[in-house]
C-alpha cells in the first residue's frame, strides 16, 4: 500500500519516469514505462530488477545488441487480423525493418550461454517469428521499402511497358520542346515537367495559341502556361492506364501478402511485446549507467542497509554541473527501526529522507539503485510519507491538520512491513503541544514495529530516541566551528539546530540572542551547547586520531627498521669476530714461527750482540705492523630541522597544522577548504589552520622525497600486455576519436600487429568516414574493410597493416 496517492510526485519518481520515456526508442518501450508501478510481490520485484541487471551487463559488455528499428507495428497487426483488410506499402516496410530487429535480438540470445543472461534467454525462447513470414515480405518489399518489380509477373510486365511508354513520350516531347525553343516560344532553360500526372511543356502565355494541345495549369503570375501537346494525348492516356493497372496489381499483391501474414498475427503481437520490453530494459539500463546504479542483494525481510547511497535526481543534476553528491550510509534494523534525524535547517535532512524513500520505491518498481557494493535491499509492502504542505481550502485543512490526517492513517495502517517517512515531525502548531503530540505518535509507531525515518527539531524526541528500544538518533553533520553544513548523516547521536550560532553569523544583534537564551531557559541552552561542543570535540579528536595513526605507522616502520638493523649488526659482529679470530690465529702462528726462528738464530750465533739486536728489531717491527689499532671516526647524528616557508599555499605545497606536528602535502584547494595527504590518509582542513613548510622539513619529518617526473623508456612488454587489437570508439567526438586512433595505431605498429579492429557503430556513418579517411594517411595501412555482418558489419572497420 502506498500513501498518499501523490507519493511519486513528492519523492520525484515522476521525473525519473519522464527520463525513462526519453531514453526509449519507440512507443513500445514508452508503453512499458507508463505501466511501471510499485510492487508488493517479492518474486516479481526480483525478476524485474534481475532483467534490468542482465540488460545492463549486455550494454556494458558492448555486444552488438540491436539499437535501431524498434518500430511499433501492433496497430498494423490489428488491421491485418481482419479478413479482407490489407496493409500498405509503408506499413509492410515498417514490419520488415522491425521484424529484422526482433530476429537479430533472438539470434543474439540464442548465441549466448544459458547462464550468462538466464531470465532474458528463457523469455526469448517463447518468442516465434516464422522465417516464412519474413521471407515472404522480403520477396515483395526491397531494402528501400518499395515494391519489387519481381513481386509478380504482371507487375513486372506493367512496369516494363510503363518505362517504354514514358521513354517514347519523352522523346516526342523533346522534339516539340526543341522546335518551340528554336521558334522563340519558350526560353532556353525551360524543361519538361508534370501536371496532374501528365507530362507537359511550359510555354509563354503570349505563344500558347502556337502550340496545339490542352492547357493543364498556369503559373502564379499567369505568364507561363503548361500545355500537353495533342501529339502525346494518347501516349499520356496509355501511361495513366498503366499506372492504374500498376496500382491495382500492387493492391492485389499487398492483399495476398496480408492474407499470408494473418494466421501468424498472435505470435507477431507477442514478438512486438518482446521488442517493447527490450526497448524498455535498454532505457532502464541506460538510466542505471548514468546514475552508477547496481543490483544489490535482495532479501524478503524488513531492513535498510545501504552504503554510499545517492539521491538519484540530485546525482543526475550534479553530474551535469561537474559536482558530486555527498553519499549517505544508513542502516535500519530490528533494534534500531526508526531513525530520528536532527540538525540545522538547510543541512540535508529532507534530502536524506527523500533519498531513502525514492531508492526503496525505485527498487520495488524494478529499477537498479545508486548505492555502493556491500549494500543490501530489504522489502516493504507499505510506504507511507508525510512530506510537504497538504493544506487545502476545499477541504478546510490547515498545514497542521493535514499532518495530523496523515498521522491518523499511519497509526491505523502501519505494521512491521511498513516503511514511513515524516519530514518536520510535529511542526505547524504551538511547539510545546506539537512536541507532546509528536512524542505520543512516535511511541505508537514504535509499538507497531514499523520502520521509518523522521526529521525533527524537537528535543523531547531526541531524548525519547536515546532511551527507547527501536529508536535511534541521527544527525546531519555540521561544522560547528565555521557554521557550515557537511551533508553527512551520522547515526548514533542527536544533532543540534545551531539556531543561536546561525543567528549570530547572520548578524542578529547580540542582545537579542542573549535575551532569547534567557527566555529559552538554561536547560535547553545547555543541551544545545553540549551538542555543539561534542561536535567540535569530535572533529578535533578525529584529527588527533589521524595524527596518532600516522605516528603509530611511523613508529611501526621505525621499529621494523630497528629490528632489521639490529639483526644485521649482530650478524656483522659475528662475522667480524670470526674474521678477527681467524686473523689472530694466523698472526699467532706467524709470531710463533718468527720467535722459534729468532731463538734458533741466537743459539746458532752463540748470542752475538749485533746479530741478536737485529733479530729483536725484526720481532718488534712485526708486532707494530700487525697489532697496531686503527682510529675509528664516528659521525654525529643530524638534528631534526623544521623550517617555515613563505608564499601562498598551492597544490603540491608542504604544510603543517598550526600547533601540531603533523606534516602533509596539499592535494587540492576548494575555497577555504584544503585537502591534504598525511602519510596514506587524506583529510580536509581549513586554510587558516595551516602553515607552509620547506621541502627539507617535510623530508625530515616523513622520510619521503618529492618524486620528479623523469623520462622513461618504452616498456614493450608492458605495452604488449595492456594492448588490445580491438578499439571501441562509439560515442566519441571527431577530434577525440582521431586522437585515440593515433595512439592506437602507434602502439599497434610498434608491436607489429598485422590486423586491427575498430568499432565505431553505424549511425549516419559520419564517424566511420572520418576514421577511414584518417587511416588512409598512414603508409603502414594496407587496406580496410567492413566486418562480417554477424559481427558488426559496417559498424566495424577491419584494418590490415603491411
Amino acid at each position: 500500500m502506498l500513501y498518499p496517492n501523490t507519493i511519486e510526485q513528492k519523492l520525484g519518481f515522476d521525473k525519473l519516469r519522464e527520463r525513462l520515456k526519453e531514453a526509449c526508442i519507440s512507443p513500445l518501450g514508452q508503453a512499458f514505462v507508463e505501466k511501471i508501478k510499485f510492487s508488493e510481490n517479492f518474486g516479481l520485484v526480483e525478476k524485474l530488477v534481475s532483467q534490468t541487471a542482465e540488460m545492463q551487463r549486455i550494454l556494458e559488455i558492448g555486444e552488438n545488441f540491436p539499437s535501431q528499428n524498434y518500430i511499433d507495428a501492433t496497430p498494423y497487426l490489428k488491421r491485418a487480423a481482419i479478413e479482407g483488410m490489407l496493409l500498405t506499402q509503408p506499413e509492410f516496410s515498417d514490419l520488415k525493418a522491425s521484424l529484422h530487429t526482433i530476429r537479430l535480438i533472438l539470434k543474439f540470445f540464442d548465441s549466448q550461454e544459458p547462464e550468462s543472461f538466464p531470465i532474458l534467454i528463457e523469455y526469448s525462447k517463447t518468442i516465434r517469428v516464422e522465417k516464412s513470414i519474413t521471407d515472404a515480405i522480403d520477396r515483395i518489399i526491397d531494402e528501400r521499402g518499395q515494391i519489387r518489380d519481381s513481386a509478380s509477373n504482371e507487375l513486372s510486365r506493367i512496369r516494363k511497358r510503363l518505362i517504354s511508354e514514358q521513354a517514347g513520350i519523352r522523346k516526342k516531347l523533346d522534339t516539340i520542346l526543341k522546335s518551340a525553343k528554336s521558334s522563340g516560344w519558350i526560353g532556353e532553360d525551360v524543361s519538361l515537367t508534370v501536371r496532374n500526372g501528365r507530362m507537359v511543356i511550359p510555354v509563354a502565355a503570349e505563344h500558347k495559341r502556337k502550340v496545339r494541345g490542352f492547357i493543364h495549369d498556369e503559373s502564379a503570375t499567369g505568364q507561363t502556361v503548361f500545355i500537353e501537346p495533342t501529339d502525346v494525348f494518347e501516349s499520356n492516356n496509355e501511361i495513366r492506364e498503366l499506372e492504374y493497372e500498376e496500382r491495382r496489381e500492387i493492391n492485389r499483391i499487398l492483399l495476398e501478402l496480408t492474407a499470408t501474414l494473418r494466421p501468424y498475427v498472435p505470435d507477431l503481437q507477442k514478438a512486438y511485446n518482446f521488442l517493447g520490453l527490450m526497448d524498455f530494459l535498454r532505457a532502464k539500463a541506460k538510466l542505471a549507467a548514468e546514475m552508477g546504479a547496481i543490483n544489490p542483494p535482495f532479501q524478503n525481510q524488513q531492513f535498510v542497509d545501504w552504503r554510499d547511497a545517492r539521491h538519484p535526481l540530485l546525482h543526475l543534476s550534479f553530474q551535469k554541473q561537474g559536482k558530486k553528491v555527498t553519499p549517505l550510509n544508513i542502516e535500519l534494523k530490528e533494534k534500531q527501526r526508526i531513525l530520528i534525524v536532527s540538525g540545522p535547517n538547510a543541512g540535508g535532512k529532507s534530502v536524506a529522507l527523500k533519498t531513502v524513500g525514492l531508492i526503496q520505491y525505485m527498487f520495488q518498481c524494478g529499477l537498479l539503485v545508486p548505492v555502493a557494493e556491500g549494500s543490501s535491499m530489504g522489502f516493504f509492502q507499505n510506504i507511507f510519507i508525510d512530506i510537504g504542505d497538504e493544506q487545502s481550502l476545499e477541504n478546510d485543512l490547515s498545514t497542521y491538520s493535514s499532518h495530523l490526517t496523515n498521522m491518523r492513517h499511519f497509526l491505523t495502517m502501519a505494521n512491521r512491513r511498513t516503511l514511513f517517512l515524516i519530514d518536520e515531525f510535529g511542526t505547524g502548531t504551538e511547539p510545546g503541544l506539537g512536541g507532546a503530540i509528536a512524542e505520543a505518535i512516535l511511541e505508537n509507531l514504535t509499538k507497531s514495529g514499523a520502520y521509518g525515518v523522521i526529521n525533527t527539531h524537537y528535543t523531547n524526541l531526541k531524548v525519547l530516541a536515546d532511551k527507547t528500544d527501536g529508536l535511534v538518533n541521527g544527525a546531519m553533520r555540521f561544522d560547528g566551528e565555521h557554521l557550515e553544513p557537511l551533508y553527512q548523516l551520522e547515526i548514533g547521536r542527536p544533532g543540534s539546530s545551531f539556531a543561536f550560532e546561525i543567528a549570530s553569523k547572520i548578524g542578529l544583534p547580540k542582545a537579542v540572542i542573549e535575551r532569547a537564551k534567557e527566555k529559552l531557559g538554561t536547560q535547553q541552552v545547555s543541551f544545545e551547547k553540549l551538542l555543539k561542543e561534542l561536535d567540535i570535540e569530535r572533529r578535533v579528536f578525529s584529527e588527533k586520531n589521524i595524527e596518532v595513526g600516522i605516528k603509530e605507522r611511523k613508529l611501526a616502520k621505525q621499529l621494523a627498521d630497528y629490528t632489521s638493523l639490529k639483526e644485521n649488526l649482530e650478524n656483522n659482529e659475528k662475522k667480524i669476530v670470526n674474521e678477527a679470530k681467524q686473523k689472530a690465529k694466523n698472526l699467532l702462528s706467524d709470531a710463533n714461527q718468527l720467535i722459534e726462528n729468532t731463538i734458533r738464530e741466537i743459539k746458532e750465533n752463540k748470542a752475538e750482540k749485533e746479530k741478536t739486536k737485529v733479530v729483536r728489531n725484526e720481532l718488534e717491527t712485526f708486532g707494530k705492523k700487525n697489532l697496531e689499532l686503527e682510529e675509528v671516526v664516528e659521525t654525529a647524528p643530524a638534528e631534526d630541522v623544521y623550517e617555515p616557508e613563505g608564499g601562498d599555499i598551492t597544490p603540491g605545497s608542504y604544510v603543517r597544522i598550526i600547533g601540531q606536528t603533523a606534516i602533509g602535502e596539499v592535494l587540492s584547494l576548494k575555497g577555504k577548504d584544503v585537502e591534504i595527504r598525511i602519510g596514506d590518509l587524506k583529510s580536509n582542513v581549513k586554510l587558516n589552520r595551516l602553515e607552509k613548510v620547506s621541502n627539507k622539513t617535510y623530508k625530515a619529518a616523513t622520510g619521503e622525497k618529492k618524486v620528479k617526473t623523469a623520462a622513461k623508456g618504452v616498456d614493450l612488454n608492458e605495452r604488449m600486455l595492456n594492448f588490445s587489437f580491438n578499439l571501441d570508439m562509439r560515442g566519441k567526438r571527431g577530434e577525440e576519436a582521431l586522437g585515440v586512433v593515433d595512439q592506437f595505431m602507434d602502439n599497434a605498429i610498434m608491436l607489429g600487429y598485422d590486423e586491427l579492429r575498430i568499432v565505431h557503430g553505424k549511425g549516419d556513418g559520419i564517424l566511420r568516414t572520418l576514421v577511414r579517411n584518417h587511416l588512409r594517411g598512414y603508409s603502414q595501412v594496407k587496406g580496410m574493410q567492413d566486418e562480417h555482418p554477424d559481427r558488426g558489419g559496417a559498424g566495424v572497420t577491419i584494418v590490415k597493416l603491411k
Side-chain angles (χ1 to χ4, degrees):
M1 179 188 296
L2 300 173
Y3 182 87
N5 55 12
T6 57
I7 188 170
E8 286 198 2
Q9 290 74 28
K10 289 183 175 293
L11 291 177
F13 186 80
D14 56 329
K15 294 183 176 63
L16 286 178
R17 194 187 290 271
E18 288 302 316
R19 280 183 171 269
L20 282 172
K21 280 186 179 179
E22 293 171 4
C24 289
I25 301 173
S26 75
L28 286 168
Q30 292 173 352
F32 275 92
V33 176
E34 289 290 348
K35 295 175 185 176
I36 291 178
K37 65 177 183 178
F38 178 85
S39 175
E40 302 171 14
N41 185 322
F42 178 83
L44 177 60
V45 172
E46 190 171 37
K47 178 182 176 182
L48 293 175
V49 175
S50 298
Q51 283 180 343
T52 309
E54 288 184 8
M55 181 59 72
Q56 185 186 41
R57 290 202 303 276
I58 291 172
L59 298 185
E60 286 175 351
I61 292 170
E63 295 281 358
N64 296 319
F65 195 83
S67 60
Q68 293 179 339
N69 295 322
Y70 284 72
I71 301 169
D72 183 7
T74 51
Y76 312 154
L77 296 176
K78 289 179 181 177
R79 283 215 327 279
I82 302 172
E83 192 71 32
M85 295 294 288
L86 64 82
L87 301 184
T88 64
Q89 176 183 319
E91 289 171 346
F92 269 115
S93 178
D94 286 348
L95 271 170
K96 177 187 173 84
S98 52
L99 286 175
H100 179 65
T101 298
I102 294 173
R103 288 182 65 85
L104 286 177
I105 294 173
L106 295 177
K107 184 178 180 181
F108 170 84
F109 285 122
D110 189 51
S111 66
Q112 303 297 317
E113 294 295 329
E115 64 274 8
S116 54
F117 312 109
I119 297 177
L120 296 181
I121 288 176
E122 189 64 29
Y123 186 24
S124 69
K125 290 178 180 178
T126 66
I127 306 303
R128 292 179 57 193
V129 176
E130 294 293 337
K131 191 173 184 298
S132 59
I133 289 297
T134 55
D135 288 346
I137 296 175
D138 286 341
R139 281 196 301 271
I140 306 300
I141 308 295
D142 64 15
E143 301 306 322
R144 297 172 295 117
Q146 302 299 315
I147 304 291
R148 299 181 190 272
D149 293 349
S150 59
S152 74
N153 294 333
E154 180 64 16
L155 182 62
S156 176
R157 181 191 66 79
I158 292 170
R159 286 182 172 175
K160 285 178 181 177
R161 282 190 59 196
L162 194 56
I163 292 170
S164 176
E165 290 293 336
Q166 287 172 342
I169 197 172
R170 181 174 291 278
K171 189 174 181 181
K172 291 179 182 179
L173 286 173
D174 283 340
T175 303
I176 297 172
L177 190 65
K178 288 179 183 177
S179 176
K181 286 181 179 179
S182 63
S183 301
W185 302 337
I186 58 177
E188 288 296 328
D189 58 342
V190 172
S191 60
L192 297 176
T193 186
V194 176
R195 285 292 185 274
N196 300 323
R198 303 175 78 90
M199 299 187 74
V200 296
I201 299 174
V203 179
E206 62 266 25
H207 300 301
K208 64 183 179 182
R209 304 285 181 189
K210 297 175 181 177
V211 178
R212 295 181 60 196
F214 180 77
I215 298 175
H216 282 273
D217 198 3
E218 67 176 6
S219 65
T221 61
Q223 295 180 359
T224 303
V225 294
F226 299 91
I227 300 175
E228 179 185 5
T230 307
D231 294 346
V232 296
F233 272 177
E234 290 301 323
S235 297
N236 263 332
N237 287 339
E238 182 68 22
I239 289 173
R240 183 59 63 90
E241 284 294 329
L242 288 170
E243 287 174 347
Y244 290 152
E245 287 184 33
E246 180 188 30
R247 193 182 308 162
R248 286 194 297 271
E249 180 62 16
I250 287 174
N251 284 344
R252 186 194 67 78
I253 292 169
L254 294 178
L255 188 64
E256 188 177 286
L257 184 58
T258 305
T260 303
L261 181 73
R262 190 169 293 117
Y264 302 98
V265 165
D267 286 343
L268 293 178
Q269 286 176 329
K270 187 175 181 181
Y272 277 96
N273 187 68
F274 173 74
L275 183 64
L277 176 63
M278 294 302 104
D279 187 17
F280 174 54
L281 292 179
R282 286 180 77 259
K284 290 203 292 184
K286 284 185 176 180
L287 181 63
E290 290 178 21
M291 295 188 300
I294 65 169
N295 177 20
F298 184 34
Q299 300 178 36
N300 193 7
Q301 297 176 4
Q302 288 67 56
F303 68 90
V304 172
D305 185 9
W306 303 341
R307 303 288 175 267
D308 291 345
R310 289 155 281 126
H311 190 285
L313 294 173
L314 201 58
H315 175 82
L316 293 171
S317 175
F318 276 25
Q319 198 173 50
K320 290 183 179 179
Q321 304 171 36
K323 299 190 294 184
K324 289 187 177 180
V325 176
T326 302
L328 299 175
N329 293 324
I330 182 167
E331 183 177 8
L332 301 179
K333 51 188 179 182
E334 178 64 29
K335 294 184 179 179
Q336 295 181 345
R337 300 187 305 276
I338 302 176
L339 175 63
I340 310 299
V341 182
S342 49
N345 289 324
K349 297 193 302 296
S350 295
V351 172
L353 189 83
K354 290 182 179 180
T355 300
V356 174
L358 183 53
I359 287 180
Q360 189 66 44
Y361 190 89
M362 282 174 62
F363 195 80
Q364 291 193 226
C365 285
L367 276 68
L368 304 185
V369 287
V371 297
E373 296 291 344
S375 303
S376 297
M377 295 297 298
F379 182 69
F380 295 92
Q381 286 190 339
N382 309 313
I383 296 184
F384 302 155
I385 67 169
D386 178 31
I387 299 174
D389 189 353
E390 290 288 346
Q391 61 179 321
S392 169
L393 294 177
E394 291 80 4
N395 298 324
D396 193 26
L397 286 177
S398 67
T399 298
Y400 189 61
S401 297
S402 70
H403 286 310
L404 288 182
T405 301
N406 292 338
M407 292 305 102
R408 181 186 63 192
H409 181 86
F410 285 22
L411 292 172
T412 304
M413 305 302 297
N415 56 35
R416 295 184 64 82
R417 301 177 73 84
T418 299
L419 175 67
F420 66 85
L421 309 169
I422 305 175
D423 196 19
E424 300 299 340
F425 192 31
T427 58
T429 189
E430 194 274 319
L433 296 176
I437 293 175
E439 186 171 341
I441 291 172
L442 181 56
E443 288 174 345
N444 275 272
L445 288 173
T446 306
K447 292 177 183 177
S448 73
Y451 290 70
V453 181
I454 295 175
N455 291 345
T456 187
H457 290 285
Y458 285 138
T459 301
N460 63 316
L461 299 183
K462 303 176 192 177
V463 174
L464 179 66
D466 192 50
K467 63 182 182 181
T468 305
D469 289 339
L471 301 181
V472 62
N473 271 307
M476 297 308 298
R477 290 193 60 199
F478 195 78
D479 187 343
E481 188 176 354
H482 301 93
L483 300 181
E484 294 176 350
L486 301 175
Y487 305 112
Q488 297 172 353
L489 175 63
E490 183 178 358
I491 297 177
R493 70 176 186 87
S496 169
S497 297
F498 290 88
F500 293 130
E501 291 76 12
I502 293 173
S504 298
K505 184 180 181 181
I506 291 173
L508 210 62
K510 186 175 180 180
V512 173
I513 296 172
E514 292 300 324
R515 182 62 178 155
K517 289 181 180 179
E518 291 175 7
K519 288 181 175 294
L520 183 61
T522 57
Q523 183 178 0
Q524 180 65 30
V525 172
S526 298
F527 184 78
E528 292 291 326
K529 182 181 178 183
L530 179 61
L531 287 176
K532 176 189 173 184
E533 289 175 352
L534 284 173
D535 190 68
I536 294 173
E537 287 181 7
R538 182 186 178 283
R539 293 182 64 250
V540 171
F541 280 113
S542 177
E543 292 177 1
K544 292 288 186 185
N545 284 337
I546 292 174
E547 291 182 29
V548 170
I550 293 170
K551 288 179 179 178
E552 285 180 349
R553 285 195 298 276
K554 191 174 180 181
L555 181 61
K557 185 176 183 302
Q558 289 176 343
L559 181 60
D561 292 344
Y562 167 77
T563 303
S564 176
L565 182 61
K566 182 173 179 292
E567 290 177 357
N568 288 336
L569 287 174
E570 289 175 349
N571 290 334
N572 289 337
E573 183 182 7
K574 291 177 181 177
K575 289 179 182 178
I576 292 170
V577 169
N578 289 337
E579 290 175 0
K581 288 179 178 178
Q582 185 61 41
K583 286 182 178 179
K585 187 176 180 181
N586 295 337
L587 188 63
L588 185 60
S589 175
D590 293 342
N592 287 334
Q593 185 66 38
L594 184 61
I595 290 170
E596 288 177 2
N597 292 338
T598 302
I599 293 171
R600 188 176 64 254
E601 288 186 16
I602 291 173
K603 286 182 178 180
E604 289 176 354
N605 290 289
K606 297 182 179 179
E608 285 186 14
K609 288 184 178 180
E610 288 300 325
K611 189 62 177 178
T612 302
K613 188 176 180 181
V614 171
V615 173
R616 284 179 176 174
N617 286 338
E618 289 178 358
L619 189 60
E620 288 176 4
T621 302
F622 174 81
K624 288 179 180 180
K625 181 178 179 182
N626 292 283
L627 301 177
E628 186 176 359
L629 298 176
E630 296 182 3
E631 184 178 355
V632 178
V633 179
E634 295 184 0
T635 305
E639 296 182 358
D640 291 340
V641 179
Y642 294 92
E643 297 179 358
E645 188 171 270
D648 295 334
I649 294 176
T650 60
S653 299
Y654 298 122
V655 294
R656 177 168 55 183
I657 300 175
I658 297 174
Q660 300 179 19
T661 58
I663 295 177
E665 180 182 0
V666 175
L667 299 177
S668 64
L669 281 83
K670 298 178 182 176
K672 296 182 179 179
D673 292 327
V674 182
E675 185 181 14
I676 64 173
R677 178 180 67 85
I678 305 175
D680 294 330
L681 298 178
K682 294 181 181 178
S683 178
N684 289 320
V685 183
K686 292 297 179 182
L687 183 61
N688 58 12
R689 298 189 59 216
L690 300 174
E691 66 172 344
K692 191 174 182 181
V693 298
S694 66
N695 186 15
K696 184 177 180 181
T697 301
Y698 179 79
K699 180 181 175 183
T702 65
E704 296 181 6
K705 294 183 180 179
K706 192 164 186 177
V707 179
K708 294 183 179 179
T709 304
K712 294 183 178 179
V714 178
D715 189 341
L716 288 179
N717 290 331
E718 183 180 355
R719 285 205 181 185
M720 185 171 291
L721 183 65
N722 296 325
F723 182 77
S724 171
F725 72 93
N726 187 77
L727 175 64
D728 191 343
M729 303 182 51
R730 287 174 292 184
K732 297 190 182 297
R733 298 186 178 274
E735 292 184 4
E736 180 189 7
L738 295 183
V740 173
V741 168
D742 286 338
Q743 185 178 1
F744 179 63
M745 290 295 294
D746 289 346
N747 288 333
I749 292 168
M750 181 182 297
L751 297 174
Y753 277 76
D754 58 358
E755 184 173 302
L756 306 173
R757 189 174 187 270
I758 300 179
V759 182
H760 40 63
K762 295 179 182 178
D764 297 326
I766 297 173
L767 185 58
R768 175 181 59 189
T769 303
L770 189 66
V771 169
R772 291 190 178 184
N773 288 341
H774 187 67
L775 288 173
R776 289 189 181 97
Y778 279 87
S779 60
Q780 294 89 348
V781 174
K782 183 179 180 182
M784 291 172 280
Q785 65 186 49
D786 289 348
E787 175 62 282
H788 189 277
D790 291 341
R791 296 188 292 275
V796 179
T797 294
I798 302 297
V799 184
K800 304 280 188 179
L801 299 181
K802 296 178 181 177

